[in-house]
Structures are given as structure tokens and as C-alpha cells.
Amino acid sequence: MTSLVHKDALSTRHAKTMNRFRLVTHQLFTGPDASSLVYATNLGELFVTSTEALLDHASDMPLNALSIDIPERVVGLAALPQGEGFLTCMSQDIRVFNRANKQSAMHPIPRLDASCCSSDLTSSGSFLLGTVSGDLHFLDVETGRLTQQFYGAHAGRLNQIRSFGNGLLAVSVGDDGQAKVWDLRTSSGAPVGETPAPSTMSPGPTTKRSKVGSTSTLSPVWMRAVDVDSACNWMVTGGAAPLQLWNLRKLSAPVTVLKSPLTFQPNSIQFIDRQILVVGTNPSVLKYELDGSRTSIRCPSTTSLYSVVSSRGHTAVVNEMVSIGGDGNVLTLVYGPTFDSPSTTVSLS
């Protein structure tokens, strides 16, 4: 077991490598009476801070939060039920952090080569893990065992998984340029819906994604990000492929292509009611309506944005908020429900 250590200042390692800092991902997790944001950075640490502390500050605040060293790069974060803690997914390990006793337990997943995980439990109480080889695995968080596998779910690296419909369904996107919908109540390993293969939509040469010791083939229209609205009617996907809005009941063709800046690639997509927030390889948050209209909100002191989360539906969060994570020395920008300008900037300076 590993203890969680409170740090009042950044380590020397971080101070010397500030220019290389960036957020990998972050998630909101809630308990019966409190909520926190968990951040994973590319420098091998997790930071945890309460949303109440963020929202109490009307101006910029430095990071002064729980800090946890981790052995390798985090590829996904997930919240445990009832606010018990959170789970970090790395390529060869799962680490579960208990909020009550401030201890962590590590579950090795050797040879799995995980690339992403779902942020919520399925209806059966499992988390979903995606792999570099395109497989989809079910993880029992209590035992750390893999209970079910969908081999060959994607023809290439799996980049993101979202569970929806009260944990009964999930959608995944990958380097093969497809989004696939899964019924988690079955063990058939066959998707119940999928977007057309890229060859039928946008022919072109394949490229290679580099990885230490190997390479993997990816479509020129690979998908990186996906989200589904709370009513389970709409899905948005994006990556090297254009941002596209889909009707979940008819995946034969997108409803519309959401126009984005030239060369923009999304890193994270978040539905908030009938609005869609997209962040990626520029310093602005793109806000879309279902009719395809777009507005942009520029974020200060950052060049790219990596993660967006909303408190909508989290009853433990007193004030509605949207958190945007970026690079540079900006850890997150916190917005209120009007989403016009950040009320709090959490920085590493």
C-alpha cells in the first residue's frame, strides 16, 4: 500500500521542467458531501484538490493540493462509486486510491498495454479498458482481475471509451477511424452499432503511430475523442477525422460535420445538455449547438487544451462548473454556468 502525501509546494523536478508540463487528463469525482478534481500530468504525478477550494477563490490561485507520484504515464482516470476514491489506468498497472484512508493498491495488468479506460462503472460494476492492439477488457476493480474481453474490438489502438445509458452501453473510438457502440449486457463481443469504415467515407493512405519498440497502423481519419449526450440520442466524434455529430439510432452517416479551425484536432469532447464543448490543439474552447453553430472562448496562458469536465449531474457540487485543463503552467480553468470567462485559474506558478 502507498500513502498519499500532501505537498505545499511543487517538487524541484517540476520547478526545473515547467516548460515541459502539460495535463494528460483530469476528472471530477464526488462523494455524498464533497467533490474533487483529479489531474494527471505528463511528468508522472497526480494532483487532487477540492472543487469547493477552487470555487472559493475569485482570482488566480497556486496549486496547493494532494500530490501523488506514480510510476508511469497515466492513460485514464475513473471515479469509484459513492465517492470512495479514484482509479488510475497505466499501460501495465491499475492503481486504486482510497479517499478515506489515503492508501492506494496496485493491480498489475502485465502484457495488456492499456491505452485508455472508461471514466465510470458499467452496470455490472466493471471499468472498461482499451488497449494498443484494439481489444476491450472488463476490469473488476475489487480484485483487479479482467473478467471479460472483446478481442479485436478495433483494428488498431483504442483511444477513448465512454459508458452511457446507466452503464448498460459504451462507445469506443480508435485508430481505425470508427466509433463502435457496445451492449455491455452481452458477451458476444460484437458491436450493436458502428460508424462506417473510413475507406467508405474518405479513402487515403494509412500512416503509422510510433510507439516504443513498435508501430501501429492508423487510418488517416483516426478518431481520438467521443461523447454521448445524457438523453442517449446524440454522439460527437473527432480526431484527425472531422468533428461529426451522429444520431445514435442511425449511424450510417453523420447528421452534420461541425466546422472547426484549420488543422484543429480535438483532445476531449463534453456534452452539457444540448451544447457540445470541444478542446484540442489550440487555446480556445469550441462551443457548438446541435444545429452546428459555433462560438469560441479563448483560454489565457495556454497553447493547447487537453481535457474538459462538467459538474452537471454531480449533486455534491454546490455550484455548477466546467473545468478546462491545458498546457504551459495552467493546470485548469474553472468556469461558472454562463461559461463566459474563467472564475478561477489553477496554475503551477
Side-chain angles (χ1 to χ4, degrees):
M1 302 289 280
T2 303
S3 296
L4 310 189
V5 181
H6 188 281
K7 295 183 179 179
D8 292 327
L10 292 174
S11 65
T12 303
R13 177 164 63 97
H14 279 81
K16 290 181 178 179
T17 56
M18 190 73 71
N19 61 331
R20 293 191 295 110
F21 165 83
R22 73 172 177 82
L23 188 79
V24 174
T25 187
H26 76 313
Q27 287 292 342
L28 177 75
F29 72 96
T30 61
D33 55 3
S35 60
S36 299
L37 283 165
V38 184
Y39 316 92
T41 79
N42 62 324
L43 297 180
E45 281 197 346
L46 299 179
F47 296 104
V48 186
T49 190
S50 73
T51 56
E52 289 75 11
L54 296 181
L55 294 169
D56 282 345
H57 287 74
S59 59
D60 290 2
M61 62 175 288
L63 180 71
N64 181 10
L66 191 69
S67 181
I68 308 155
D69 286 308
I70 50 178
E72 56 181 302
R73 185 180 186 274
V74 172
V75 298
L77 290 170
L80 300 181
Q82 285 78 54
E84 296 168 0
F86 58 95
L87 172 149
T88 63
C89 177
M90 295 159 282
S91 62
Q92 304 293 331
D93 296 289
I94 297 294
R95 186 170 287 197
V96 180
F97 295 91
N98 186 293
R99 191 176 184 180
N101 60 20
K102 295 183 171 59
Q103 298 290 312
S104 70
M106 188 167 66
H107 303 297
I109 44 174
R111 299 181 298 278
L112 191 63
D113 214 0
S115 57
C116 61
C117 74
S118 61
S119 58
D120 297 299
L121 285 169
T122 68
S123 60
S124 62
S126 300
F127 284 101
L128 300 175
L129 303 180
T131 71
V132 170
S133 58
D135 302 326
L136 187 61
H137 297 265
F138 292 67
L139 174 81
D140 185 317
V141 73
E142 295 289 336
T143 64
R145 296 179 181 274
L146 301 176
T147 59
Q148 190 175 344
Q149 294 82 29
F150 292 169
Y151 292 110
H154 284 263
R157 180 190 179 101
L158 223 150
N159 291 323
Q160 193 170 55
I161 310 165
R162 296 278 201 188
S163 60
F164 64 98
N166 295 320
L168 299 175
L169 300 166
V171 61
S172 57
V173 293
D175 279 359
D176 57 4
Q178 285 189 280
K180 299 188 178 185
V181 179
W182 309 90
D183 186 337
L184 304 179
R185 295 164 292 187
T186 71
S187 57
S188 66
V192 294
E194 57 187 311
T195 59
S199 60
T200 66
M201 298 174 63
S202 178
T206 58
T207 55
K208 295 286 184 180
R209 179 194 290 276
S210 297
K211 182 181 180 295
V212 177
S214 67
T215 59
S216 62
T217 300
L218 65 153
S219 160
V221 286
W222 50 269
M223 293 182 180
R224 173 184 287 157
V226 63
D227 198 23
V228 174
D229 77 317
S230 59
C232 304
N233 293 323
W234 305 101
M235 174 178 76
V236 173
T237 60
L243 279 168
Q244 295 173 320
L245 177 68
W246 304 81
N247 185 324
L248 273 174
R249 290 165 177 77
K250 188 180 180 181
L251 293 177
S252 56
V255 174
T256 188
V257 174
L258 303 174
K259 293 183 179 180
S260 58
L262 189 66
T263 73
F264 174 82
Q265 291 183 358
N267 290 319
S268 184
I269 299 170
Q270 176 77 59
F271 265 98
I272 301 178
D273 293 333
R274 295 173 65 84
Q275 292 184 328
I276 307 146
L277 300 184
V278 183
V279 299
T281 52
N282 71 18
S284 296
V285 182
L286 306 182
K287 183 169 68 171
Y288 294 92
E289 305 294 336
L290 289 178
D291 63 6
S293 60
R294 184 192 85 197
T295 55
S296 298
I297 303 96
R298 186 173 177 82
C299 295
S301 306
T302 187
T303 57
S304 293
L305 300 169
Y306 294 94
S307 186
V308 52
V309 295
S310 168
S311 66
R312 182 65 55 86
H314 291 270
T315 56
V317 183
V318 176
N319 297 298
E320 190 173 314
M321 58 176 279
V322 173
S323 177
I324 308 292
D327 61 5
N329 67 341
V330 174
L331 192 63
T332 190
L333 300 160
V334 181
Y335 293 81
T338 57
F339 199 74
D340 47 8
S341 62
S343 58
T344 306
T345 301
V346 183
S347 67
L348 291 182
S349 57

